[in-house]
Amino acid sequence: MQRIVYLERESIVADVRRPAFEHTWVEYPKTAPGEVVERLQGATIAIVNKAPLPAFAVDALPALKMVAVAATGTNIVDLEACRRRGIVVSNIRGYAAQTIPEHVFALLLALSRNLFAWRETVAAGRWQQAEQFCLFDHPIRDLHGATLGVVGSGSLGSGVVRLGEAFGMRVLRAEQRDATVVRPGYTPFAEVLAEADAISLHCPLTESTRHLIGAAELRAMKRSALLINTARGGIVDEAALIQALREGWIAGAGFDVITAEPPPAGHPMVDPALLALPNLILTPHVAWSSRPAMQALADQLIDNIEAFVAGTPRNVVA
């Protein structure tokens, strides 16, 4: 009989059906890193989201056969340790192909059209005191005709490409930064930085993508450009980003992710003075979390587990 332990049930708001095979099911609302090994003792299948499974934890769980990651990113799991043990690791794919691109364009539109600045202008009484029907306090830019650079070509990046083209944007798919050959349909990374009016990030966080966007890349972008990150916080050097926003290297940024989530007290990205800047929008890692997307995630999670038990594992990363 399979013993399934779900470490972070509160990490999604959805109906999670029970697998269609004989099993025991244990779930916890949340799990701290120091509780992982104890709670997974005897488990054959672990469901994790952000609770880390480093090598020492994997080695301390002799019964473990599968890790079902209730997310797309798998950087919380030591994949090499799982490979050594023959533990299958599966993740979730494609569930947010609509909701994250929509969030990207919500950020792009809000920044391009200065929505928050206009809201503050009306709240301050400027419109009420105007001598004509409208105001021109803040510039408004159209997405139509602008150039959008997309970094990452999976389902999320492709969804952003689709919406960009629907808005009438010129869309450039960025080739990998250190690529020696540019694939058909892609544009060299440096050219995307130089030409894009907006750049949207959709790559995983790996050693090769950590600080993919740093001071040099931010300075290579147009001063009028926008940077959107709904991928992972570590892809962007946050110290460089903060300097870029304050000194005007780029026009603005819309982020849904940062390096520490939730951010501890004193984290520079949630400094009140920074959040007061009109050219930064920071949302709390919610781009993925529409109710339909979370239900699709939950359904795929159990599909992955059932496929593993049936001997036909799917969405395997290790």
Side-chain angles (χ1 to χ4, degrees), residues 83-307:
R83 291 188 187 101
R84 288 198 306 267
R85 285 271 313 280
I87 297 170
V88 170
V89 180
S90 293
N91 70 343
I92 307 298
R93 305 177 189 181
Y95 76 98
Q98 285 77 45
T99 191
I100 287 181
E102 287 186 17
H103 197 88
V104 167
F105 275 83
L107 295 171
L108 277 175
L109 287 165
L111 289 165
S112 296
R113 305 193 72 82
N114 259 312
L115 292 187
F116 290 101
W118 283 118
R119 185 178 185 274
E120 292 176 4
T121 294
V122 174
R126 284 274 296 123
W127 194 20
Q128 299 89 315
Q129 299 161 9
E131 296 181 355
Q132 64 171 5
F133 71 97
C134 70
L135 299 174
F136 301 109
D137 294 23
H138 312 292
I140 292 176
R141 297 185 296 167
D142 293 333
L143 296 184
H144 185 275
T147 297
L148 173 65
V150 178
V151 180
S153 56
S155 62
L156 302 181
S158 296
V160 170
V161 169
R162 183 182 67 251
L163 290 184
E165 291 173 342
F167 270 94
M169 303 182 80
R170 171 189 177 225
V171 181
L172 303 177
R173 287 182 180 266
E175 184 54 271
Q176 295 180 19
R177 177 175 54 184
D178 299 323
T180 56
V181 176
V182 178
R183 292 166 288 175
Y186 287 76
T187 302
F189 186 78
E191 288 185 26
V192 173
L193 291 178
E195 295 182 22
D197 298 298
I199 293 176
S200 189
L201 304 176
H202 300 284
C203 48
L205 178 61
T206 65
E207 286 310 307
S208 63
T209 62
R210 188 175 300 278
H211 287 188
L212 180 70
I213 304 295
E217 290 74 24
L218 289 163
R219 287 189 179 277
M221 293 169 63
K222 294 180 180 179
R223 292 180 69 86
S224 58
L226 303 173
L227 178 63
I228 308 298
N229 187 10
T230 56
R232 289 291 183 268
I235 295 170
V236 177
D237 181 337
E238 291 173 346
L241 174 70
I242 291 169
Q243 186 177 1
L245 293 173
R246 287 178 168 157
E247 297 182 7
W249 303 356
I250 61 174
F255 274 48
D256 186 54
V257 289
I258 59 177
T259 51
E261 298 172 354
H267 192 288
M269 285 294 290
V270 292
D271 177 74
L274 180 70
L275 294 177
L277 293 177
N279 59 344
L280 172 66
I281 301 174
L282 179 63
T283 53
H285 205 146
V286 294
W288 64 280
S289 64
S290 72
R291 291 300 190 268
M294 285 194 286
Q295 189 58 55
L297 183 158
D299 293 341
Q300 190 179 144
L301 173 68
I302 302 305
D303 289 344
N304 287 349
I305 292 172
E306 290 176 336

